[in-house]
Amino acid sequence: MKSMEGTETSNEIKQPLRMDLWLMAAVLMAAFLNLYGIWDETYSNTYYTTAVGSMLQSWENFFYGSLDSAGSVTIDKPPLVFWIQAAFAYVFGLHGWSVILPQALAGIALVPLIYLCVKPTFGSLAARFAAFAMAFTPVGVAVARTNNIDAMLVFVLLLAAWFLLRGIRQNRISSLVIAFALIGVGFNMKMLQAYMVLPAFYLLYVLGVQLKVKKKYAVLAGSTALMLLISVSWAVIVDSIPADKRPYIGSSETNSVMELAFGYNGVSRLTGDRGGAGGQPPSASVPGQPQAGDGTAPRDGGGESGVRNGGWGTAPAGGGGGGMFATGTVGPLRLFQQELSGQASWLLPFALLSALALLLSFRWRGMNAKHKETLFWLAWLVPVGGFFSIAGFFHPYYLIMLAPPVAALAGAGASYMWAKYRESASWQAWLLPSSIAITALFQWFILQTYESTIGIGWSIAVAGLGLLVALVLAVQNGRERGAVKVAALTGLAAMLIGPAYWSATPIVYGQDAMIPAAGPTSGFGGGMGRIALQGMGGVQQGGIGMERPSQQGGVGDAQSGGIDGRLPGEMGMFPSDGGMRPGQGRGNTGVDQGLLDYLRKNQSTEYLLAVPNYNTAAPYIVDEKEKVVILHGFQNSDPVYDEEKLEELVRSGGVKYFLVIGTGSNSDLIAWIKKNGNVINASEYTTGSIEQTKSINGSFGRGGNAVLYEVTLD
């Protein structure tokens, strides 16, 4: 079984890529998992899809990554990934699936890419197993089926790793430079998260590059300088533009991209201290989650009592960090806890044992390529894993960052431990069966918690098969029989059963596209799941009823006129069957056709309407291609508008209609609108029954009202 030997040869490095049927099978599996059913998505992550819709309306919005049509506020990340999404939406039309497609393709591309990273040094068996491990990383599938950034980011970082490995293996300076440049590209996707791999890159560069010392470190210095230049290029350009000439930088504290990078998207992720007033971090909210001030949020979360600098209502309430997003308890075993283990840790024990096995023969003077690359993947895994073990605020889907090193180490270890097993000349022959057994028991630990939902068969099958294979390998140690090879391959396959099934759960059970996560409770989104549900008092909090959205999908049925008991843009959380089905972006209903017709008929301004949040704006921007002003960004605490700016917007002919949602009567902006505006009676634009009219222009079940105002200034 030559392919299982994992022998490193110089010829293998130089051979062109040949068709590998096992690789093709892994790619096809990844394609199915990442693509199946995405055509049913209406909006995916509403926050980002709304921004893509706005970006398609003007080049200025496109450059800044503006959330709304007026360029009032940006999204909370750099726009590079959304430039790509906008390009796809321009070609295919703006749909949920068209903005998901780039991420799904990136998720698929990770499979052959990890294969190419692993094969030259560790052989075909290692590369094949790594490819399947990557394809069956549950959180990778979950996030690739949305328009969140992380799948694209990890693709760019793994591509950088391939260039680094290629540059070292072939002594190509250009490849080394490109590797670090790509990390700079990654910074323009998700800022400091891209730098988490730098320890691994620097370590492998120092250990692996064969150049004269001065040239070696000159190239490293130049590559680092280029990386930093690319990293801050967009940020420096935007920050150099006067604040009144560009959008407010969403989720920042000082209206600065650099502050956003090192604050909200940087150190705050580690400390969990996300700023804000009133002792409550504003980013405790999540895209699409109910927010106080629009009449939809629980009010027991200690939220801000008002919005900074004249807000639209009260700021987001709700939990944060490990509580709200079910990211477990801080500590060295956090990745092995039930809250997170099902996302990316299925093969983590095997990967760690593989690294140990591969480094048993490590000697500084006798260091070979296998040792160096094992250290590289370990230097990727340990800092990233360490960060998630102590971080104060992150979402479970960030764990896709663990997928490449876990897959690579698992594949390399499978090949190495098989070779040692066949030699049977030392105690290292026991590495393979013991590693399979330990991993099988850990996977049973993950599965058994969900037996009431998925049945007992999965946990028994995974644990039983893994332990049986380990026993057979232990008994047959040293015997050259076909049955031994079959047992070894069966053991490796058994370790993929659990993650393969978990990777299918976003299809089987649905998921929340706002905060994607894998697992039988993935439909609740982001690991909030049943634990968070119980913590929120069932579905009721603070006397505010949490209605459950209909099964129409996305922002609801566009033909429903928004009269299913909720106003257009009103946010719901929990589907009646316990999971978000494809197309159910959390937090939206559809366009109110009567309202839309009225606004179009009477519009005499540049923008159709001004609304408090992106959930309300989404159906009008995305479905109807209308221009809508959003007065707040992702956080209701973003000081995007004050009374002076609002007056300037109205006087300049920007907008005259304002949809006021919620009970934030003390808000300065709402007070200004009420003082200067006239209420438009809902009967003028509602086409439904009396009961339906009440749901549009009255209390709609969460203690809030929605009223349309016309503001004209003399």
Side-chain angles (χ1 to χ4, degrees), residues 77 429 523 548 692 703:
K77 299 294 185 295
R548 299 183 176 193
Q692 293 166 344

Side-chain angles (χ1 to χ4, degrees), residues 30 91 102 226 265 269 286 434 497 566 600 672:
V91 173
L226 178 61
N265 286 323
R269 301 285 169 166
V286 295
S434 60
I497 294 174
R566 294 168 295 155
R600 284 175 170 171
W672 185 90

Side-chain angles (χ1 to χ4, degrees), residues 647-693:
E647 180 175 346
E648 181 183 351
L649 181 66
V650 173
R651 290 191 182 279
S652 65
V655 68
K656 66 177 181 179
Y657 290 111
F658 293 80
L659 192 64
V660 174
I661 301 175
T663 56
S665 57
N666 293 327
S667 163
D668 293 336
L669 289 187
I670 292 179
W672 185 90
I673 293 168
K674 289 182 176 181
K675 177 182 177 181
N676 294 280
N678 298 314
V679 175
I680 306 298
N681 195 293
S683 62
E684 295 190 35
Y685 56 82
T686 302
T687 58
S689 64
I690 295 177
E691 289 75 15
Q692 293 166 344
T693 301

Side-chain angles (χ1 to χ4, degrees), residues 410-577:
S415 176
Y416 179 83
M417 287 188 282
W418 166 250
K420 290 300 179 182
Y421 178 84
R422 292 187 64 189
E423 291 175 4
S424 66
S426 70
W427 62 270
Q428 292 190 45
W430 294 94
L431 288 172
L432 182 62
S434 60
S435 297
I436 291 175
I438 292 171
T439 304
L441 289 173
F442 174 66
Q443 293 188 0
W444 170 84
F445 167 75
I446 297 174
L447 290 162
Q448 53 86 28
T449 301
Y450 300 90
E451 287 177 354
S452 61
T453 302
I454 66 176
I456 197 172
W458 288 101
S459 57
I460 290 178
V462 169
L465 188 57
L467 293 175
L468 178 61
V469 166
L471 180 62
V472 170
L473 291 175
V475 171
Q476 297 294 323
N477 187 11
R479 301 184 183 182
E480 190 64 36
R481 294 181 179 178
V484 173
K485 296 179 181 179
V486 172
L489 291 174
T490 302
L492 297 181
M495 290 190 295
L496 295 175
I497 294 174
Y501 172 61
W502 235 242
S503 296
T505 55
I507 298 174
V508 176
Y509 294 92
Q511 71 172 1
D512 179 356
M514 296 290 182
I515 311 177
T521 57
S522 59
F524 288 108
M528 286 178 64
R530 294 172 182 174
I531 296 175
L533 258 174
Q534 294 168 358
M536 295 174 72
V539 188
Q540 302 285 336
Q541 272 307 340
I544 301 172
M546 291 287 200
E547 297 181 29
R548 299 183 176 193
S550 68
Q551 296 295 317
Q552 299 299 324
V555 291
D557 185 354
Q559 303 302 318
S560 68
I563 53 177
D564 61 348
R566 294 168 295 155
L567 187 80
E570 182 190 352
M571 292 183 281
M573 284 188 70
F574 308 115
S576 58
D577 65 347

Side-chain angles (χ1 to χ4, degrees), residues 73 248-252 308 631-640:
V73 59
Y248 182 86
I249 305 303
S251 297
S252 71
R308 268 183 328 208
L631 300 184
H632 288 290
F634 167 53
Q635 304 180 49
N636 275 0
S637 56
D638 284 338
V640 180

Side-chain angles (χ1 to χ4, degrees), residues 121-122 165 169 200 203-204 207 351-362 367-382 405 408-410 412-413 416:
T121 298
F122 297 100
L165 291 166
R169 291 164 182 164
L203 177 63
L204 184 59
L207 294 178
L352 293 173
L353 291 169
S354 295
L356 177 63
L358 287 159
L359 294 176
L360 284 173
S361 61
F362 175 81
M367 195 184 329
N368 57 33
K370 289 182 179 179
H371 294 142
K372 295 174 185 177
E373 293 183 23
T374 298
L375 290 171
F376 168 72
W377 295 114
L378 199 59
W380 180 329
L381 176 62
V382 172
L409 288 172
Y416 179 83

Side-chain angles (χ1 to χ4, degrees), residues 89-383:
Y90 180 81
V91 173
F92 298 110
L94 182 54
H95 312 285
W97 66 265
S98 64
V99 295
I100 292 172
L101 188 57
Q103 290 70 237
L105 294 176
I108 297 167
L110 288 172
V111 175
L113 199 51
I114 196 71
Y115 179 96
L116 293 174
C117 287
V118 171
K119 184 181 178 182
T121 298
F122 297 100
S124 296
L125 173 64
R128 291 168 180 171
F129 190 74
F132 277 102
M134 181 66 75
F136 295 144
T137 301
V139 73
V141 173
V143 74
R145 292 174 59 83
T146 73
N147 58 332
N148 290 282
I149 301 165
D150 296 67
M152 190 73 74
L153 171 65
V154 173
F155 166 74
V156 168
L157 295 180
L158 188 56
L159 183 62
W162 178 77
F163 271 105
L164 180 66
L165 291 166
R166 180 173 180 260
I168 290 173
R169 291 164 182 164
Q170 301 181 11
N171 206 33
R172 291 191 179 185
I173 294 177
S174 59
S175 293
L176 300 173
V177 174
I178 292 172
F180 285 93
L182 284 170
I183 297 177
V185 173
F187 185 93
N188 282 283
M189 293 179 169
K190 214 173 179 192
M191 297 182 162
L192 286 183
Q193 187 171 326
Y195 284 178
M196 296 174 79
V197 302
L198 278 178
F201 276 64
Y202 283 127
L203 177 63
L204 184 59
Y205 185 97
V206 171
L207 294 178
V209 172
Q210 301 298 318
L211 294 172
K212 292 183 179 180
V213 174
K214 288 186 178 180
K215 185 175 183 180
K216 177 178 180 176
Y217 289 102
V219 171
L220 180 59
S223 299
T224 300
L226 178 61
M227 177 191 73
L228 294 174
L229 179 63
I230 294 173
S231 295
V232 302
S233 56
W234 180 80
V236 169
I237 292 172
V238 173
D239 280 352
S240 67
I241 298 172
D244 60 347
K245 302 295 184 182
R246 58 166 171 80
Y248 182 86
I249 305 303
S251 297
S252 71
E253 293 290 324
T254 61
N255 197 11
S256 163
V257 180
M258 293 300 292
E259 183 272 323
L260 178 69
F262 292 94
Y264 175 74
N265 286 323
V267 176
S268 293
R269 301 285 169 166
L270 178 64
T271 64
D273 179 13
R274 288 155 278 163
Q280 176 68 20
S283 55
S285 69
V286 295
Q289 187 175 314
Q291 299 179 14
D294 58 8
T296 64
R299 301 188 184 273
D300 63 342
E304 296 175 285
S305 58
V307 178
R308 268 183 328 208
N309 301 331
W312 186 264
T314 36
M324 191 60 168
F325 306 121
T327 51
T329 304
V330 170
L333 298 179
R334 194 179 195 179
L335 295 176
F336 297 94
Q337 297 171 9
Q338 285 291 350
E339 291 86 350
L340 294 179
S341 56
Q343 302 305 316
S345 300
W346 294 85
L347 293 172
L348 185 55
F350 192 82
L352 293 173
L353 291 169
S354 295
L356 177 63
L358 287 159
L359 294 176
L360 284 173
S361 61
F362 175 81
R363 301 292 184 274
W364 278 110
R365 292 188 176 182
M367 195 184 329
N368 57 33
K370 289 182 179 179
H371 294 142
K372 295 174 185 177
E373 293 183 23
T374 298
L375 290 171
F376 168 72
W377 295 114
L378 199 59
W380 180 329
L381 176 62
V382 172

Side-chain angles (χ1 to χ4, degrees), residues 58-94:
S58 77
W59 282 109
E60 186 174 3
N61 288 350
F62 179 85
F63 173 75
Y64 288 115
S66 176
L67 178 61
D68 74 334
S69 307
S72 307
V73 59
T74 71
I75 50 179
D76 62 354
K77 299 294 185 295
L80 179 55
V81 172
F82 305 103
W83 290 344
I84 299 172
Q85 291 181 15
F88 274 70
Y90 180 81
V91 173
F92 298 110
L94 182 54

